[in-house]
C-alpha cells in the first residue's frame, strides 16, 4: 500500500467549470514551490494535453519541455488521474495524483490525492532531509496552496 | 495557506478513520486534509466545519487517549454553534449512531442546545441562538452574577 496525502476545498463553480479551470488554465493558477521543484531550472509554465495518455508538461524559459507526467484516467468533469515525476526523482520512481470534482450544492468540492511520495528514498535531494511525516505534511500543505489558487481563480 | 482560526481542537481516536466517517455523517464535517503512511495508518487529518477546523488523530502517545481507552472519561468537550434547525442537527447525529445525552432544549441564555456522545465516547455540545436575552434577564433567570455579557 502506498502512502498518500489528501486535501480538499470547495470552489464556487460547477464541476464542469472547475475541471476545465484545473486542466486548461493550470498555466495561469499554478504556484511553483521550491520544496517540490519539478525541475532544477527556474519554474516554467505547466500545461495538460487533454485526454487519456496526454502529458502534463512544463515549458521552461529556454523553450525546453519537461514531462512531469501522463494522464492515466480522464473522466471529465468528475475525475482525473496523472503520474507525477520530478526531474530529481530516481529513474524508476513514479508517483500518482488523483483529482476529483464533486458537486456540493452550488459549489464543487475539489480534492487532490497524491500517492506514493514517501517512496523517494531517505537521503534523496527531493526529500530535503525530511522524515516521512514531515515530508507528507509539507506535501499536503503545498497541494492545499495549489487548491487555494484554484479557489482564487474561480472566485 | 488557507485561513486558520486562532483556536483549533485536536481529538484523539482509537480508530480515527472511522471517526472521519461518523463525524461527517453526524455533523456534516468535511475532510480537508488526510495524511496516511505506507501502511494506510492515519498520520494527520483535518476536517472543516463552517469557518473552523478540527484535527482528528490517533492515540499518538501514551498520554493522548480516546475516551474509549479511559473508561469514557472526557477532559474537554467541543461545542458546535449552528445557525439554524438544531433539532434536525440532533436527528442527524442520532441517525449516525451518536447517543443523545440531552435532547434539544431552550436555555435561559437564549440558546437551544443538545448534548451527545460519539461512538468513541467524546462528548459534543451543540447550540443555536434562538432569542436575544439581556444580561439582567439571564441573571434573574439563573440567579448567577454575570460579567461580560455580549
Amino acid at each position: 500500500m502506498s502512502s498518500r496525502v489528501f486535501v480538499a476545498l470547495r470552489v464556487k463553480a460547477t464541476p464542469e467549470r472547475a475541471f476545465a479551470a484545473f486542466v486548461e488554465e493550470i498555466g495561469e493558477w499554478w504556484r511553483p514551490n521550491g520544496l517540490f521543484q519539478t525541475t532544477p531550472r527556474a519554474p516554467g509554465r505547466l500545461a495538460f494535453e487533454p485526454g487519456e495518455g496526454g502529458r502534463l508538461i512544463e515549458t521552461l524559459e529556454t523553450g525546453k519541455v519537461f514531462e512531469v507526467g501522463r494522464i492515466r484516467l480522464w473522466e471529465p468533469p468528475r475525475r482525473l488521474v496523472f503520474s507525477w515525476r520530478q526531474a530529481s526523482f530516481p529513474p524508476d520512481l513514479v508517483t500518482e495524483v488523483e483529482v476529483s470534482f464533486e458537486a456540493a450544492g452550488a459549489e464543487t468540492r475539489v480534492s487532490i490525492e497524491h500517492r506514493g511520495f514517501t517512496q523517494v528514498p531517505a537521503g534523496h535531494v527531493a526529500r530535503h532531509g525530511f522524515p516521512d511525516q514531515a515530508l507528507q505534511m509539507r506535501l499536503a500543505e503545498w497541494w492545499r496552496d495549489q487548491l487555494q489558487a484554484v479557489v482564487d481563480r474561480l472566485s | 495557506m488557507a485561513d486558520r482560526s486562532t483556536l483549533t481542537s485536536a481529538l484523539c481516536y482509537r480508530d480515527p478513520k472511522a471517526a472521519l466517517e461518523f463525524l461527517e455523517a453526524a455533523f456534516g464535517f468535511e475532510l480537508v486534509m488526510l495524511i496516511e503512511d505506507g501502511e494506510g495508518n492515519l498520520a494527520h487529518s483535518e476536517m472543516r466545519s463552517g469557518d473552523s477546523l478540527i484535527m482528528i488523530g490517533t492515540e499518538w502517545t501514551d498520554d493522548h487517549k480516546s475516551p474509549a481507552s479511559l473508561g469514557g472519561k472526557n477532559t474537554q468537550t467541543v461545542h458546535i454553534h449552528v445557525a439554524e434547525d438544531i433539532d434536525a442537527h440532533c436527528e442527524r447525529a442520532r441517525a449516525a449512531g451518536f447517543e443523545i445525552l440531552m435532547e434539544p432544549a431552550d436555555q435561559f441564555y437564549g440558546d437551544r442546545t443538545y448534548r451527545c456522545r460519539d461512538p468513541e465516547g467524546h462528548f459534543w455540545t451543540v447550540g443555536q441562538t434562538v432569542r436575544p436575552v439581556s444580561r439582567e434577564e439571564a441573571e434573574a433567570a439563573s440567579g448567577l452574577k454575570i460579567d461580560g455579557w455580549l
Side-chain angles (χ1 to χ4, degrees), chain A residues 1 4 6 10 109 144, chain B residues 4 30-31 34 36 38:
Chain A
M1 193 172 198
R4 62 179 183 136
F6 169 98
R10 286 179 177 225
R109 184 169 183 242
R144 188 173 54 195
Chain B
R4 297 238 155 187
E30 207 165 278
L31 184 65
L34 171 64
E36 286 181 3

